[in-house]
Amino acid sequence: MTRPTFSTIQAMEILDSRGFPTVRVFVELSNGIRASASVPSGASTGENEAVELRDQDQNRYFGKGVCQAVTNVHQLIAPALLGMDPFDQALIDQQMIAIDGTKNKSKLGANAILGVSMAVAKAAAKASHLPLYRYLGGAGTRRLPVPCMNIVNGGAHADNSVDFQEFMAVPIGASSFCEGLRAVAETFHVLKSILNQRGLSTGIGDEGGFAPNFSSNEDAIETIIQAIEQAGYKPGEDISLALDSAASSFALKENGEYDLNRSGAGRMDRGQLIKLAGSWIDKYPIISWEDPLAEHDWEGFQQFTARYGDKIEVVGDDIFVTNTEYIARGIKEGSANSVLIKLNQIGTVTETIEAIRMCREAGWRYFLSHRSGETEDTFLADFSVAMDGGHLKSGSASRSERIAKYNRLLEIEQELGTTAMYYW
Ligand code: PGA
Ligand code: ZN
């Protein structure tokens, strides 16, 4: 059998779930197989993320167009990759990194590079007649992630009185992915009726969670716990909570303090914020806490992890940006015990897998994640199963760009049948 090679690589500008441009890439192989992939986009981005190339042409989409990234795929990436073997994922990614030549992918754009990188993986999976999760994960692939469903949105993802960005319901006690998904989706619907009864808004934020004006951050947590109970589940046993403070978004640049001004909780220093988190960990069934401190506050992360790391998963997102350079420092300094994994923070499939490898070797967990700006692409669902990560966040039980990933996981679970595994 002659191995297929790339015959066409094309890109176009599409819209993400917030209505802003992003990149979609199409590839075709010499045997006629086609695949496409679409790139997500964040709002509370870490400073050291790979660069999402935007046109800065104020006459189009307020400067957010991605025509240059599309052109880069056509003029700089495609000529180098045509004729290459789609099974050479690492070599292809390496090639694009070399053409880019910058540390943060600012020449080609991480959006251009990742679109191609994901499309390559999809084409190779099709060419080997395997589902993407099995192609990327291998013969032993059988574990579904626990869906950490973001049912209350705050911070940069909503215009409400909640400082912390994400409040997730985590179905740790379920026997399968579909039962877990049902538990948290039911909780989401009960939460809606509780908010209605209280006269609070049931409008949703960027990731599909409710975004009302709670009286405090604690009120948000307590209302979710009430929803879990009313839905017939036991908090801490059936469903636990995961938080993403996204603390970089309320950190003050000038003095390293934190300003919880949306809720009116006011300013506090690192020590006070860590103490506040501790009182919540004692009081509420919190199992995982992401970005409890800002991306520059390495010392704060270290203190937080030293105090609570044996009780909960401490996840670094903005601080590590899926980059092995920062993850290595975190492992050395004990800054966390888990890494949030976002493909577009680093910009290639291969480097994302490297980040995960580093976590595994250190005995750290890793938490697969969508972005707040998403598309209908379900790559992440297959990727999460392939990486055996154990948990995933893909937003709430609303907005089709979020549900598409959960639905794809339902399909995968059905395909795996009795061989499917599920646990926290
Ligand atoms: P983002 O948010 O996609 O807007 O960066 C997700 C997160 O902070 O985890
Ligand atoms: Zn985050």
Side-chain angles (χ1 to χ4, degrees), residues 140-143 360 366 368 383-391 423:
T141 308
R142 56 190 288 212
R143 184 172 170 202
R360 283 196 184 118
Y366 44 95
L368 282 301
F383 189 71
S384 69
V385 177
M387 293 302 115
D388 211 29
H391 51 310
Y423 54 89

Side-chain angles (χ1 to χ4, degrees), residues 286-424:
I286 294 169
I287 194 169
S288 170
W289 200 319
E290 179 185 334
D291 283 0
L293 297 136
E295 59 192 310
H296 299 297
D297 196 352
W298 287 82
E299 217 178 303
F301 259 92
Q302 196 180 38
Q303 289 173 15
F304 188 96
T305 305
R307 290 219 359 216
Y308 314 127
D310 56 345
K311 289 196 194 122
I312 62 165
E313 176 188 40
V314 182
V315 189
D317 173 10
D318 292 354
I319 189 172
F320 299 137
V321 291
T322 317
N323 187 322
T324 49
E325 187 184 326
Y326 303 106
I327 298 169
R329 175 174 170 191
I331 290 167
K332 206 160 126 219
E333 295 182 11
S335 316
N337 57 30
S338 179
V339 176
L340 201 77
I341 300 290
K342 292 167 166 168
L343 287 139
N344 81 323
Q345 276 184 332
I346 188 70
T348 62
V349 173
T350 304
E351 289 165 292
T352 308
I353 294 171
E354 285 314 310
I356 290 169
R357 175 175 293 142
M358 188 173 268
C359 293
R360 283 196 184 118
E361 281 174 3
W364 279 29
R365 298 187 73 124
Y366 44 95
F367 187 171
L368 282 301
S369 174
H370 64 158
R371 298 309 301 250
S372 52
E374 265 295 337
T375 73
E376 56 273 39
D377 194 319
T378 58
F379 186 97
L380 178 67
D382 282 74
F383 189 71
S384 69
V385 177
M387 293 302 115
D388 211 29
H391 51 310
L392 158 90
K393 59 177 187 174
S394 178
S396 191
S398 74
R399 300 189 65 129
S400 286
E401 76 279 5
R402 317 288 148 189
I403 301 284
K405 279 80 163 168
Y406 292 134
N407 284 345
R408 173 66 188 140
L409 287 163
L410 289 172
E411 278 179 6
I412 296 174
E413 186 177 49
Q414 199 168 66
E415 216 166 273
L416 289 170
T418 55
T419 65
M421 283 166 59
Y422 174 91
Y423 54 89
W424 168 253

